[in-house]
Amino acid sequence: GNSVTQMEGPVTLSEEAFLTINCTYTATGYPSLFWYVQYPGEGLQLLLKATKADDKGSNKGFEATYRKETTSFHLEKGSVQVSDSAVYFCALREMDSSYKLIFGSGTRLLVRP
Amino acid sequence: DSGVTQTPKHLITATGQRVTLRCSPRSGDLSVYWYQQSLDQGLQFLIQYYNGEERAKGNILERFSAQQFPDLHSELNLSSLELGDSALYFCASSFTGTGNTEAFFGQGTRLTVV
């Protein structure tokens, strides 16, 4: 079945550092890809998405590019802030009739002042 | 605020008991998804309803069941609870449950089984 693999955390960075969280997927076809963020004590919020190969999703300074050659969708941000501390989930949307999301295991990011 | 409401936010209950988790989808959304988030299993899809009908089933235990009512709210029933059922249960809704619409998540119900 389809699956998502993302890098283990926690990732600890200093404020203004560059962030990369790796995500790769295994899927039949070209599913839509997503990054969700979960702040402490809250639900999941959609951060960005890409629906086809070479698409770049971006939001709040975060970016990710859909790379079909490497089946990857790595999340990047040029300068992280303390407020970015959260758990980040990479996900793909199944292409069957359910369109359910398949999530990676999540990566906790801690940004220190 | 995603517009998806889950109640209760927290629930503490004993092993062997039964609980009901409730989800009100965003206004106009027809599809509801239930997910379980646990430390060892991550985020797992449980079940999906679309306009009152079950559409897809994931790794949902036989002790668990769900339904979606005519007003489109959904309930997840968990029975004969075990310690391992302790988790955060999320509901998500989307307009049609198709690939062209986004899923919005509620804040979750944290279930603790003692």
Side-chain angles (χ1 to χ4, degrees), chain A residues 6-112:
Chain A
Q6 58 183 109
M7 63 189 287
E8 294 279 334
V11 173
T12 303
L13 296 173
S14 297
E15 207 165 22
E16 299 183 2
F18 184 85
L19 168 71
T20 300
I21 300 178
N22 289 338
C23 169
T24 58
Y25 67 91
T26 301
T28 304
Y30 303 106
S32 295
L33 302 174
F34 303 82
W35 278 99
Y36 279 83
V37 58
Q38 184 178 26
Y39 297 103
E42 298 188 14
L44 295 165
Q45 299 176 26
L46 177 64
L47 182 59
L48 54 84
K49 68 175 183 179
T51 58
K52 60 184 187 298
D54 300 325
D55 262 4
K56 177 185 281 189
S58 62
N59 185 27
K60 300 181 182 179
F62 291 90
E63 292 183 341
T65 301
Y66 192 139
R67 304 276 188 210
K68 69 175 182 180
E69 307 84 9
T70 53
T71 61
S72 65
F73 192 54
H74 305 319
L75 182 68
E76 297 181 336
K77 187 175 186 184
S79 176
V80 294
Q81 306 300 311
V82 172
S83 57
D84 293 327
S85 298
V87 181
Y88 292 81
F89 292 91
C90 184
L92 64 81
R93 183 160 54 199
E94 293 271 42
M95 298 171 72
D96 60 18
S97 61
S98 73
Y99 295 101
K100 65 181 180 290
L101 293 166
I102 304 295
F103 288 92
S105 55
T107 302
R108 182 176 298 279
L109 171 65
L110 177 60
V111 181
R112 300 192 185 280

Side-chain angles (χ1 to χ4, degrees), chain B residues 19-60:
Chain B
V19 297
T20 297
L21 313 183
R22 182 186 170 102
C23 170
S24 294
R26 292 190 321 153
S27 177
D29 282 358
L30 300 176
S31 193
V32 169
Y33 301 81
W34 286 98
Y35 290 84
Q36 178 194 58
Q37 185 181 28
S38 60
L39 285 176
D40 55 344
Q41 296 289 324
L43 266 163
Q44 298 281 318
F45 168 72
L46 295 178
I47 198 163
Q48 179 203 7
Y49 278 81
Y50 173 74
N51 204 20
E53 299 289 327
E54 182 184 303
R55 176 173 273 189
K57 207 174 234 190
N59 299 323
I60 188 166

